[in-house]
Short mmCIF file of all heavy atoms in Angstrom, two decimals:
data_model
loop_
_atom_site.label_atom_id
_atom_site.label_comp_id
_atom_site.label_asym_id
_atom_site.label_seq_id
_atom_site.Cartn_x
_atom_site.Cartn_y
_atom_site.Cartn_z
N GLY A 26 103.90 112.46 114.82
CA GLY A 26 105.18 112.26 114.15
C GLY A 26 105.84 113.59 113.85
O GLY A 26 105.71 114.55 114.62
N VAL A 27 106.55 113.68 112.68
CA VAL A 27 107.25 114.91 112.32
C VAL A 27 106.94 115.28 110.87
O VAL A 27 106.61 114.43 110.03
CB VAL A 27 108.78 114.78 112.51
CG1 VAL A 27 109.15 114.52 113.94
CG2 VAL A 27 109.38 113.71 111.59
N ARG A 28 107.07 116.61 110.59
CA ARG A 28 106.97 117.10 109.21
C ARG A 28 108.22 117.94 108.96
O ARG A 28 108.59 118.76 109.79
CB ARG A 28 105.70 117.94 109.02
CG ARG A 28 105.59 118.49 107.59
CD ARG A 28 104.23 119.09 107.32
NE ARG A 28 103.96 120.29 108.11
CZ ARG A 28 102.92 121.08 107.88
NH1 ARG A 28 102.04 120.78 106.95
NH2 ARG A 28 102.73 122.15 108.63
N ALA A 29 108.88 117.70 107.80
CA ALA A 29 110.10 118.44 107.49
C ALA A 29 110.16 118.75 106.00
O ALA A 29 109.56 118.04 105.17
CB ALA A 29 111.32 117.62 107.91
N ARG A 30 110.88 119.85 105.66
CA ARG A 30 111.13 120.16 104.25
C ARG A 30 112.63 120.01 104.02
O ARG A 30 113.44 120.65 104.69
CB ARG A 30 110.67 121.58 103.92
CG ARG A 30 110.78 121.93 102.42
CD ARG A 30 110.12 123.27 102.13
NE ARG A 30 108.68 123.23 102.34
CZ ARG A 30 107.81 122.73 101.46
NH1 ARG A 30 108.25 122.21 100.33
NH2 ARG A 30 106.51 122.75 101.71
N ILE A 31 112.96 119.12 103.09
CA ILE A 31 114.37 118.81 102.83
C ILE A 31 114.69 119.17 101.37
O ILE A 31 114.25 118.49 100.43
CB ILE A 31 114.66 117.31 103.10
CG1 ILE A 31 114.38 117.01 104.58
CG2 ILE A 31 116.08 116.95 102.73
CD1 ILE A 31 113.97 115.63 104.87
N ASP A 32 115.41 120.31 101.22
CA ASP A 32 115.77 120.79 99.86
C ASP A 32 114.57 120.78 98.91
O ASP A 32 114.63 120.18 97.82
CB ASP A 32 116.91 119.94 99.27
CG ASP A 32 118.27 120.43 99.74
OD1 ASP A 32 118.32 121.52 100.35
OD2 ASP A 32 119.26 119.73 99.51
N GLY A 33 113.47 121.34 99.35
CA GLY A 33 112.30 121.45 98.47
C GLY A 33 111.39 120.23 98.49
O GLY A 33 110.32 120.25 97.88
N THR A 34 111.79 119.16 99.20
CA THR A 34 110.96 117.95 99.28
C THR A 34 110.27 117.92 100.64
O THR A 34 110.94 117.98 101.69
CB THR A 34 111.81 116.67 99.11
OG1 THR A 34 112.52 116.77 97.87
CG2 THR A 34 110.95 115.43 99.11
N GLU A 35 108.93 117.80 100.65
CA GLU A 35 108.20 117.72 101.92
C GLU A 35 108.12 116.25 102.36
O GLU A 35 107.75 115.37 101.57
CB GLU A 35 106.79 118.29 101.77
CG GLU A 35 106.09 118.40 103.14
CD GLU A 35 104.65 118.92 103.03
OE1 GLU A 35 103.84 118.27 102.34
OE2 GLU A 35 104.37 119.95 103.66
N VAL A 36 108.48 116.02 103.62
CA VAL A 36 108.52 114.64 104.15
C VAL A 36 107.70 114.58 105.45
O VAL A 36 107.84 115.44 106.33
CB VAL A 36 109.98 114.19 104.44
CG1 VAL A 36 109.99 112.75 104.97
CG2 VAL A 36 110.84 114.30 103.19
N LEU A 37 106.85 113.55 105.53
CA LEU A 37 106.11 113.25 106.77
C LEU A 37 106.57 111.88 107.26
O LEU A 37 106.65 110.93 106.47
CB LEU A 37 104.61 113.20 106.51
CG LEU A 37 103.90 114.46 106.01
CD1 LEU A 37 102.45 114.14 105.66
CD2 LEU A 37 103.95 115.56 107.06
N VAL A 38 106.86 111.78 108.56
CA VAL A 38 107.22 110.48 109.17
C VAL A 38 106.44 110.36 110.48
O VAL A 38 106.54 111.24 111.35
CB VAL A 38 108.74 110.37 109.46
CG1 VAL A 38 109.06 108.99 110.04
CG2 VAL A 38 109.56 110.62 108.21
N GLY A 39 105.65 109.27 110.61
CA GLY A 39 104.90 109.10 111.86
C GLY A 39 103.97 107.91 111.83
O GLY A 39 104.14 106.99 111.02
N ASN A 40 102.94 107.96 112.67
CA ASN A 40 102.03 106.83 112.79
C ASN A 40 100.83 106.97 111.85
O ASN A 40 100.75 107.92 111.07
CB ASN A 40 101.57 106.67 114.25
CG ASN A 40 100.96 107.95 114.81
OD1 ASN A 40 100.37 108.75 114.06
ND2 ASN A 40 101.09 108.15 116.11
N ASP A 41 99.91 106.04 111.97
CA ASP A 41 98.74 106.03 111.08
C ASP A 41 97.88 107.29 111.26
O ASP A 41 97.27 107.79 110.30
CB ASP A 41 97.92 104.76 111.35
CG ASP A 41 96.81 104.57 110.33
OD1 ASP A 41 97.12 104.53 109.13
OD2 ASP A 41 95.63 104.50 110.74
N ARG A 42 97.84 107.83 112.47
CA ARG A 42 97.06 109.04 112.74
C ARG A 42 97.59 110.22 111.92
O ARG A 42 96.83 111.09 111.50
CB ARG A 42 97.10 109.38 114.24
CG ARG A 42 96.28 108.44 115.11
CD ARG A 42 96.00 109.05 116.48
NE ARG A 42 97.23 109.31 117.23
CZ ARG A 42 97.82 108.40 118.02
NH1 ARG A 42 97.30 107.19 118.14
NH2 ARG A 42 98.92 108.71 118.66
N LEU A 43 98.91 110.25 111.71
CA LEU A 43 99.53 111.32 110.91
C LEU A 43 99.02 111.26 109.46
O LEU A 43 98.71 112.30 108.86
CB LEU A 43 101.05 111.17 110.94
CG LEU A 43 101.85 112.26 110.21
CD1 LEU A 43 101.89 113.54 111.02
CD2 LEU A 43 103.27 111.79 109.92
N LEU A 44 98.89 110.03 108.92
CA LEU A 44 98.41 109.86 107.53
C LEU A 44 96.97 110.36 107.39
O LEU A 44 96.63 111.03 106.41
CB LEU A 44 98.50 108.39 107.11
CG LEU A 44 99.89 107.73 107.16
CD1 LEU A 44 99.79 106.28 106.71
CD2 LEU A 44 100.90 108.47 106.29
N HIS A 45 96.15 110.04 108.36
CA HIS A 45 94.74 110.46 108.32
C HIS A 45 94.62 111.97 108.53
O HIS A 45 93.75 112.62 107.94
CB HIS A 45 93.93 109.70 109.37
CG HIS A 45 93.71 108.26 109.00
ND1 HIS A 45 92.78 107.85 108.07
CD2 HIS A 45 94.34 107.13 109.43
CE1 HIS A 45 92.83 106.54 107.95
NE2 HIS A 45 93.77 106.07 108.77
N ARG A 46 95.49 112.53 109.37
CA ARG A 46 95.45 113.97 109.63
C ARG A 46 95.73 114.77 108.35
O ARG A 46 95.09 115.80 108.09
CB ARG A 46 96.49 114.32 110.71
CG ARG A 46 96.58 115.81 110.98
CD ARG A 46 97.41 116.09 112.22
NE ARG A 46 97.63 117.52 112.39
CZ ARG A 46 98.04 118.06 113.53
NH1 ARG A 46 98.23 117.30 114.59
NH2 ARG A 46 98.24 119.35 113.62
N PHE A 47 96.67 114.30 107.53
CA PHE A 47 97.02 115.01 106.29
C PHE A 47 96.34 114.39 105.05
O PHE A 47 96.71 114.72 103.92
CB PHE A 47 98.55 115.03 106.12
CG PHE A 47 99.24 115.96 107.06
CD1 PHE A 47 99.74 115.50 108.28
CD2 PHE A 47 99.35 117.31 106.77
CE1 PHE A 47 100.37 116.36 109.17
CE2 PHE A 47 99.98 118.18 107.66
CZ PHE A 47 100.49 117.71 108.87
N LYS A 48 95.37 113.48 105.35
CA LYS A 48 94.56 112.86 104.28
C LYS A 48 95.42 112.26 103.17
O LYS A 48 95.22 112.51 101.97
CB LYS A 48 93.58 113.89 103.69
CG LYS A 48 92.55 114.40 104.72
CD LYS A 48 91.59 115.40 104.09
CE LYS A 48 90.48 115.79 105.03
NZ LYS A 48 90.91 116.36 106.31
N VAL A 49 96.40 111.48 103.59
CA VAL A 49 97.29 110.79 102.64
C VAL A 49 96.69 109.44 102.29
O VAL A 49 96.36 108.64 103.19
CB VAL A 49 98.71 110.61 103.24
CG1 VAL A 49 99.60 109.83 102.26
CG2 VAL A 49 99.33 111.95 103.59
N GLU A 50 96.55 109.16 101.01
CA GLU A 50 96.03 107.85 100.60
C GLU A 50 97.08 106.77 100.89
O GLU A 50 98.25 106.91 100.53
CB GLU A 50 95.72 107.86 99.08
CG GLU A 50 94.43 108.59 98.73
CD GLU A 50 94.08 108.42 97.25
OE1 GLU A 50 94.48 107.39 96.66
OE2 GLU A 50 93.43 109.33 96.70
N HIS A 51 96.63 105.69 101.54
CA HIS A 51 97.55 104.59 101.86
C HIS A 51 96.78 103.28 101.94
O HIS A 51 95.58 103.28 102.24
CB HIS A 51 98.31 104.87 103.16
CG HIS A 51 97.41 105.07 104.36
ND1 HIS A 51 96.64 106.21 104.52
CD2 HIS A 51 97.16 104.28 105.44
CE1 HIS A 51 95.97 106.11 105.66
NE2 HIS A 51 96.26 104.94 106.24
N ASP A 52 97.47 102.20 101.69
CA ASP A 52 96.81 100.89 101.67
C ASP A 52 97.07 100.06 102.92
O ASP A 52 96.63 98.93 103.04
CB ASP A 52 97.26 100.09 100.42
CG ASP A 52 98.77 99.87 100.40
OD1 ASP A 52 99.44 100.34 101.34
OD2 ASP A 52 99.26 99.23 99.45
N THR A 53 97.85 100.59 103.87
CA THR A 53 98.20 99.82 105.07
C THR A 53 97.95 100.67 106.31
O THR A 53 98.52 101.77 106.43
CB THR A 53 99.70 99.41 105.03
OG1 THR A 53 99.96 98.81 103.77
CG2 THR A 53 100.03 98.44 106.15
N CYS A 54 97.11 100.13 107.20
CA CYS A 54 96.85 100.85 108.47
C CYS A 54 97.46 100.10 109.65
O CYS A 54 98.29 100.63 110.37
CB CYS A 54 95.35 101.03 108.68
SG CYS A 54 94.64 102.34 107.65
N ARG A 55 97.03 98.85 109.84
CA ARG A 55 97.51 98.06 110.99
C ARG A 55 98.72 97.23 110.58
O ARG A 55 98.67 96.47 109.63
CB ARG A 55 96.41 97.16 111.53
CG ARG A 55 95.30 97.93 112.24
CD ARG A 55 94.35 96.99 112.96
NE ARG A 55 94.98 96.27 114.06
CZ ARG A 55 95.16 96.79 115.27
NH1 ARG A 55 94.79 98.04 115.53
NH2 ARG A 55 95.70 96.08 116.22
N VAL A 56 99.80 97.41 111.32
CA VAL A 56 101.03 96.65 111.08
C VAL A 56 101.49 96.08 112.40
O VAL A 56 101.49 96.79 113.42
CB VAL A 56 102.15 97.56 110.48
CG1 VAL A 56 103.41 96.75 110.22
CG2 VAL A 56 101.67 98.23 109.20
N LYS A 57 101.88 94.79 112.40
CA LYS A 57 102.37 94.18 113.64
C LYS A 57 103.73 94.78 113.98
O LYS A 57 104.64 94.78 113.15
CB LYS A 57 102.50 92.67 113.47
CG LYS A 57 101.21 91.92 113.71
CD LYS A 57 101.45 90.43 113.80
CE LYS A 57 100.16 89.69 114.13
NZ LYS A 57 100.37 88.25 114.25
N GLY A 58 103.85 95.28 115.18
CA GLY A 58 105.11 95.87 115.60
C GLY A 58 105.05 97.38 115.60
O GLY A 58 104.02 97.99 115.33
N THR A 59 106.20 97.99 115.90
CA THR A 59 106.30 99.45 115.92
C THR A 59 106.60 99.92 114.51
O THR A 59 107.55 99.45 113.87
CB THR A 59 107.43 99.87 116.89
OG1 THR A 59 107.16 99.30 118.17
CG2 THR A 59 107.50 101.38 117.02
N VAL A 60 105.78 100.87 114.01
CA VAL A 60 105.89 101.25 112.60
C VAL A 60 106.00 102.77 112.45
O VAL A 60 105.43 103.53 113.23
CB VAL A 60 104.68 100.71 111.79
CG1 VAL A 60 103.39 101.38 112.25
CG2 VAL A 60 104.87 100.88 110.30
N ALA A 61 106.79 103.20 111.42
CA ALA A 61 106.87 104.61 111.05
C ALA A 61 106.51 104.71 109.57
O ALA A 61 107.22 104.19 108.70
CB ALA A 61 108.28 105.13 111.30
N HIS A 62 105.36 105.34 109.26
CA HIS A 62 104.94 105.55 107.87
C HIS A 62 105.71 106.74 107.31
O HIS A 62 105.97 107.71 108.03
CB HIS A 62 103.43 105.82 107.80
CG HIS A 62 102.60 104.65 108.24
ND1 HIS A 62 102.31 103.60 107.41
CD2 HIS A 62 102.00 104.36 109.43
CE1 HIS A 62 101.57 102.71 108.06
NE2 HIS A 62 101.35 103.16 109.29
N VAL A 63 106.02 106.69 106.00
CA VAL A 63 106.79 107.77 105.36
C VAL A 63 105.99 108.30 104.15
O VAL A 63 105.53 107.52 103.31
CB VAL A 63 108.18 107.27 104.91
CG1 VAL A 63 108.98 108.42 104.26
CG2 VAL A 63 108.96 106.68 106.08
N VAL A 64 105.85 109.62 104.10
CA VAL A 64 105.16 110.29 102.98
C VAL A 64 106.15 111.28 102.36
O VAL A 64 106.76 112.10 103.07
CB VAL A 64 103.89 111.03 103.48
CG1 VAL A 64 103.20 111.75 102.33
CG2 VAL A 64 102.94 110.05 104.16
N ILE A 65 106.33 111.20 101.01
CA ILE A 65 107.25 112.10 100.31
C ILE A 65 106.45 112.90 99.27
O ILE A 65 105.82 112.33 98.37
CB ILE A 65 108.39 111.30 99.63
CG1 ILE A 65 109.19 110.52 100.69
CG2 ILE A 65 109.32 112.23 98.83
CD1 ILE A 65 110.20 109.55 100.14
#
């Protein structure tokens, strides 16, 4: 996915692999359809 800094706010947008790579706690892994997870 992508990582960006927007006016001092760090944002991650991508797939489940992105969440595991940055060790982000989340309650949803498998979602039916095409999905983009968001971390702020």
Side-chain angles (χ1 to χ4, degrees):
V27 298
R28 179 169 67 169
R30 186 172 293 280
I31 298 152
D32 276 350
T34 304
E35 188 182 59
V36 181
L37 298 173
V38 182
N40 55 30
D41 188 56
R42 288 198 298 272
L43 183 76
L44 302 180
H45 288 283
R46 176 169 173 163
F47 287 94
K48 297 181 173 57
V49 177
E50 283 187 27
H51 58 288
D52 59 0
T53 310
C54 283
R55 289 190 66 82
V56 181
K57 276 192 177 181
T59 304
V60 65
H62 295 278
V63 181
V64 178
I65 300 172

